[in-house]
Amino acid sequence: MSERRYFPYLPNTDDDRAEMLRAIGAKSVDDLFADIPAELREKATLNLPPALSEPELMRHLRSLAAQNIPLGELQDDLVPRPPSLVPFLGAGIYDHYIPSAVQHITSRNEFYTAYTPYQAEASQGTLQATFEYQSLICDLTGMEVSNASLYDGASALAEAVLMAHSINGRQKVLLPKTLHPHWTQVIKTYAAGMKLQFVEVPYLPDVGVSDVEFVRKQCDDQTCCVIVQHPNFFGCLEPVNELETMAHRVGALFIVAFDPISLGVLKPPGEYNADIAVAEGQSLGLPPSFGGPLLGIFTCKKEFIRKMPGRLVGETVDAKGQRGFVLTLQVREQHIRRERATSNICTNQALCAITAAAYLALMGKQGIRQVAELCTQKAHYLAEQLQNIGIPLLFNAPFFKEFAVKLPVDPKQLNKSLISKGFLGGLPLRRYYPELENGWLLAVTEKRTKTEMDAFVQAVKAFKLG
């Protein structure tokens, strides 16, 4: 019996591989990796489990999937392992209401495979959908231009920093400590090798917003841009007007990262003179998901349009005067000389952008405002109830839908207890801010009911009292 083994899901036999190597003139698979120094290659045998049959593999995958506990509503009868969790966790991804029509619209065949084709003008429907997204985002933000979207909020902000550097050639970037820590990491990764100088802007300990006086002293003629997240990572509202004045006083660009839903009750970045405004668009009709897909919203002033990354769809008329849509701007390296490209972004989140457009169109201005008001009112209600059981706010700045509290107990232990009672607790802040021991970041969206919040407070109180 031959020693060769065959696997139904691995198409290449030893003979197949040998034939392919002969065809390309390689003696072995190692020849294909000759450019990688030998000391960098893994030489140990991979610690893989024995091969499984297809039924065994399916059983294994089902057991892994069964460990997931989806988000959901409050259960009447608590069980040791609840079938779903009521979320009070935010920190960048939020459990907002999504109208059922959004999924029906985006499940249509012509959208579900949405990708701007290389003969883009032949796909007028796709281009029009992107144009509508851009128009809705400009209406929401008060900014003059929106591109067709980027990968996510973090990469959009990183691109904004590179764009600011491209515009004024300066290298000092004022990066607030109140920015989402993951976004900070993405920016520094993008800028590795560019010799940008990052200056961390501290926050006021009792207030939870950027130290304006520090920014005032740091702003000079070498400052490339001043960044602010508003509301910031702690949920607090930043002094955006003062920061804008300081940035523009020295000729730096003012970059704003915003929460799209917050614009239902807060002034849009276009009204306080942001040069570039970016956001994570997940809250606009996209369900929470562990690894995405997410949506990078990118907007700027019209004067900077030729430095903008990504692509832009424009409206025009054809030779017969009929309305049509075209890819107007795509200053990436694939289409122009590499040295003149603004970015190596090669695509956009087309389906996610269409989802956001459908959400915004269905909700309308009044709907967004109502969602924002509910988020604000409910977040403040929960904060008040927690204070009533002796859990104070960590900061005293006004907040939108997220807020930080100081627990008298270990947040990780409390979160474990809450899961057993059907709640997904807040984010322990010590992971990113060692000085905020027992700091706990909570988020409340319009979906949370008074019953859920009251039950959550009672669960926290029961653990606190031991």
Side-chain angles (χ1 to χ4, degrees):
M1 185 176 180
S2 170
E3 293 183 0
R4 287 166 50 188
R5 295 184 298 171
Y6 295 91
F7 303 98
Y9 44 85
L10 295 178
N12 299 324
T13 65
D14 292 342
D15 289 343
D16 292 334
R17 284 189 285 272
E19 184 177 347
M20 287 188 285
L21 289 170
R22 279 196 301 273
I24 61 176
K27 295 179 181 177
S28 66
V29 173
D30 286 342
D31 281 358
L32 300 178
F33 302 103
D35 292 336
I36 301 176
E39 62 272 20
L40 297 180
R41 296 187 218 167
E42 175 61 61
K43 298 181 179 61
T45 303
L46 295 178
N47 183 23
L48 296 175
L52 300 175
S53 66
E54 185 171 323
E56 291 172 331
L57 180 61
M58 294 303 295
R59 191 179 303 118
H60 176 64
L61 292 175
R62 279 194 293 270
S63 70
L64 292 177
Q67 296 179 34
N68 289 326
I69 306 177
L71 301 182
E73 314 298 332
L74 185 66
Q75 305 297 312
D76 292 332
D77 299 320
L78 297 182
V79 294
R81 188 177 185 282
S84 62
L85 296 175
V86 180
F88 289 90
L89 178 66
I93 305 295
Y94 304 96
D95 180 40
H96 284 291
Y97 161 71
I98 301 173
S100 298
V102 171
Q103 185 174 359
H104 287 283
I105 292 171
T106 54
S107 296
R108 292 176 62 92
N109 291 342
E110 59 269 41
F111 290 145
Y112 211 66
T113 56
Y115 181 86
T116 311
Y118 285 94
Q119 291 182 327
E121 279 63 42
S123 299
Q124 285 293 297
T126 300
L127 291 179
Q128 180 175 358
T130 304
F131 180 82
E132 302 293 353
Y133 160 81
Q134 295 171 177
S135 303
L136 288 162
I137 293 297
C138 286
D139 282 347
L140 180 70
T141 61
M143 300 294 287
E144 294 176 315
V145 181
S146 165
N147 74 5
S149 76
L150 297 177
Y151 298 136
D152 55 25
S155 61
L157 184 55
E159 291 284 348
V161 173
L162 302 189
M163 178 174 160
H165 174 63
S166 175
I167 290 171
N168 60 26
R170 301 179 183 179
Q171 294 179 318
K172 184 197 286 189
V173 176
L174 299 191
L175 204 55
K177 198 171 181 181
T178 55
L179 176 66
H180 194 306
H182 292 175
W183 292 32
T184 298
Q185 293 175 12
V186 171
I187 291 172
K188 292 184 176 179
T189 301
Y190 261 63
M194 292 191 64
K195 299 180 181 179
L196 293 180
Q197 176 194 359
F198 291 102
V199 177
E200 184 179 84
V201 177
Y203 61 87
L204 299 173
D206 296 331
V207 187
V209 300
S210 297
D211 186 338
V212 171
E213 197 53 39
F214 179 90
V215 175
R216 191 190 312 280
K217 293 176 181 175
Q218 285 292 330
C219 274
D220 55 30
D221 59 4
Q222 297 302 309
T223 305
C224 170
C225 56
V226 175
I227 300 172
V228 64
Q229 184 174 15
H230 175 65
N232 66 27
F233 185 64
F234 301 135
C236 300
L237 305 187
E238 292 275 1
V240 288
N241 292 315
E242 294 177 73
L243 295 171
E244 181 272 331
T245 300
M246 291 175 204
H248 288 151
R249 179 170 53 81
V250 297
L253 270 74
F254 185 47
I255 301 176
V256 177
F258 62 92
D259 177 336
I261 296 296
S262 75
L263 301 187
V265 292
L266 300 178
K267 281 204 303 188
E271 289 191 15
Y272 49 87
N273 203 21
D275 296 299
I276 306 171
V278 302
E280 171 50 59
Q282 177 269 328
S283 55
L284 303 179
L286 296 163
S289 182
F290 183 76
L294 302 174
L295 170 66
I297 295 174
F298 192 102
T299 65
C300 67
K301 290 179 178 175
K302 189 177 180 181
E303 64 188 278
F304 303 130
I305 191 170
R306 291 197 171 275
K307 296 291 185 180
M308 184 180 68
R311 58 181 61 177
L312 182 72
V313 174
E315 181 184 27
T316 186
V317 293
D318 63 14
K320 298 179 181 177
Q322 298 172 323
R323 187 187 189 212
F325 302 91
V326 292
L327 268 184
T328 304
L329 196 70
Q330 41 185 341
V331 282
R332 57 179 170 143
E333 60 192 20
Q334 189 173 342
H335 296 281
I336 63 176
R337 291 202 301 271
R338 180 178 292 270
E339 64 273 18
R340 297 188 63 187
T342 61
S343 168
N344 65 0
I345 292 282
C346 291
T347 187
N348 68 298
Q349 292 283 46
L351 182 59
C352 297
I354 292 172
T355 302
Y359 175 88
L360 289 169
L362 287 164
M363 298 295 285
K365 290 183 179 179
Q366 187 57 37
I368 295 293
R369 181 180 181 84
Q370 187 175 6
V371 169
E373 288 176 344
L374 288 171
C375 289
T376 308
Q377 293 163 4
K378 293 185 175 187
H380 283 74
Y381 173 80
L382 181 62
E384 184 179 338
Q385 298 309 306
L386 289 172
Q387 290 177 82
N388 289 341
I389 62 169
I391 297 178
L393 289 172
L394 202 52
F395 306 113
N396 58 28
F399 61 89
F400 170 51
K401 69 182 179 188
E402 283 180 294
F403 59 94
V405 297
K406 183 174 178 57
L407 290 172
V409 296
D410 182 357
K412 289 184 178 179
Q413 294 301 318
L414 174 58
N415 281 343
K416 287 182 181 177
S417 171
L418 289 173
I419 285 176
S420 69
K421 296 178 179 178
F423 297 105
L424 184 60
L427 177 76
L429 288 171
R430 187 181 180 185
R431 175 180 177 184
Y432 304 106
Y433 302 88
E435 71 276 17
L436 299 180
E437 188 172 6
N438 287 356
W440 202 39
L441 183 65
L442 297 165
V444 185
T445 69
E446 77 282 8
K447 286 181 67 176
R448 299 286 68 82
T449 66
K450 182 176 182 297
T451 301
E452 289 173 344
M453 289 188 285
D454 289 343
F456 179 74
V457 172
Q458 290 306 311
V460 173
K461 183 179 180 181
F463 182 84
K464 172 176 170 264
L465 297 177

